[in-house]
Amino acid sequence: MNKVLDRYFHISERGSTIGTEVRAGTVSFFAMAYIILLNPLILGTVADVNGTTLGVPQVAAATALVAGVMTIAFGAIAKYPFALAAGLGMNTFVAVTVVSTQGVTWAEAMGLIVIEGLIIVALAVSGFRTAVFNAIPHSMKAAMGVGIGMFIAMIGFVDGGFVTRVPDAANTTVPVGLGINGSIATWPALVFVLGLIICGFCVIRNVPGGLFAGIVVTTIVAMIIQAFVDSESWSMATPEPPSSLGGMPDLSIVGNVDLFGAFVNIGVLTAVLLTFTLLLTNFFDAMGTMTGLGHQAKLTDENGNLPEMKKALVVEGFGAVAGGLGNTSSNTVFADSSAGIIDGARTGLANIVTGVLFLLAMFLTPLYEVVPMEAAAPVLVIVGVMMASQLTEIEWTRLDIAIPSFLTIVVMPFTYSIANGIGVGFISFAIFSTFAGRAKQVHWIMWLIAALFVVYFGMDPLMDAING
């Protein structure tokens, strides 16, 4: 059996072992498990035009189901250790823009996601999506990887309570602050700092399974502290021993989709523009994430391209279709699965482990809820450090490359969006290449993408003009 797994997943060929893949796949799950809690808060509580909500328990169960199925499929077919789950940013756009302001029902909104997913699959099958990937200059690919690392680290700092948003009422020019009210003298922040130290020690000393061990040890520390400290002192998580093993998941929302209702409800043009926005976000979020993860796992070639990229992109495209059908929003390659890569994941076997744990999570919710956000967040910061190593691969001596690379890197964490960073980077790359007299050297696909992103960023005025 071991030989069959080794041969199918190329485990030895990629310098890994079955034990490493199993352990690292577990690490990826714990680094991503928060999406089962976060996605329901984003999607499950928003009422549509009919006053209907999806429900928190229902979205939680469906989120785990779709993530599990698609992660296993990606691992088995694409054979890369890139786990899939409901994409952050996409789910917020669906809830806040598509459902809350455009007047569509949840079934209609999910229908649009299924449609854009089918378009993504068609583009991948045709080879166009791979052609886009190959047309991106190496420095820009490296910048995308670094930007994703910064984005992941930012998520870690925010989720750990180490960095918080300063309310607009504060009348300050500082958009974010250190800790809570400028202080990190809080129990959650202490747990985060201790977790960062523990995880840092583990990776520096090359402790096998270091990040997973860091999460476990930090969770234990959090539970000990919480046992002696009033739970109200915790800003984001209250880790407690599970009261039960869980129960049967509620999957009643799965399949509740109206493919063409939005085109009738809000008009063809508006529905097309919304689908286009979803398409661009999904298209480049996944591509940027796969670029960064592939480089981090050292699975890319000398040009920064992944072997058999077309197959991976086709499977990933079906994540949007599955997410729409499951009412969980588009599922895409999750940047947080880089935690498993850092811990040694190199093959799809790690994905199989991560996916199985997602499926089990439908039944064992109390068990994974024991892990507080403050215990998992330090791993994201360490991952950001690792991914920042690609900074050395950017041609900083050429300002026509350095400026768009820098913009790509900083816009991702500052706007909390991978797609925004890629869009700003591509547009600026086309502009500054022209200034440098290298416009003809820019691949026509890069020009096309830049133009599409100009439309993407101008979507709100377009929508206002149409609705006005």
Side-chain angles (χ1 to χ4, degrees), residues 43 302 438 447:
L43 299 179
E302 63 276 6
R438 297 188 174 93
W447 283 107

Side-chain angles (χ1 to χ4, degrees), residues 242-320:
S243 57
S244 66
L245 293 180
M248 292 298 295
D250 183 349
L251 299 174
S252 58
I253 62 173
V254 175
N256 184 23
V257 174
D258 186 344
L259 275 181
F260 304 108
F263 293 86
V264 176
N265 188 6
I266 59 176
V268 174
L269 184 57
T270 302
V272 167
L273 286 175
L274 287 175
T275 304
F276 175 70
T277 303
L278 291 167
L279 177 69
L280 277 186
T281 302
N282 195 20
F283 192 103
F284 289 102
D285 263 13
M287 188 163 292
T289 303
M290 273 200 254
T291 300
L293 295 178
H295 189 282
Q296 183 187 17
K298 298 181 180 178
L299 298 173
T300 55
D301 59 22
E302 63 276 6
N303 296 316
N305 299 325
L306 278 169
E308 298 188 33
M309 184 69 169
K310 179 178 178 179
K311 184 189 298 183
L313 291 173
V314 170
V315 180
E316 190 279 334
F318 277 107

Side-chain angles (χ1 to χ4, degrees), residues 143-185:
M144 288 159 62
V146 175
I148 292 168
M150 298 298 100
F151 175 61
I152 292 172
M154 185 68 165
I155 291 174
F157 281 122
V158 172
D159 288 350
F162 197 78
V163 173
T164 54
R165 178 178 178 273
V166 177
D168 296 336
N171 294 319
T172 175
T173 57
V174 181
V176 294
L178 185 66
I180 300 173
N181 296 323
S183 172
I184 57 173

Side-chain angles (χ1 to χ4, degrees), residues 17 33 43 53 74 81 171 194 203 228 256 272 278 371 382 411 421 457:
T17 66
L43 299 179
T53 58
F74 193 90
N171 294 319
L194 289 175
V203 295
F228 294 96
N256 184 23
V272 167
L278 291 167
V371 180
I382 297 296
V411 169
F457 289 127

Side-chain angles (χ1 to χ4, degrees), residues 412-423:
M412 285 189 193
F414 289 168
T415 66
Y416 238 55
S417 169
I418 293 173
N420 285 350
I422 294 174

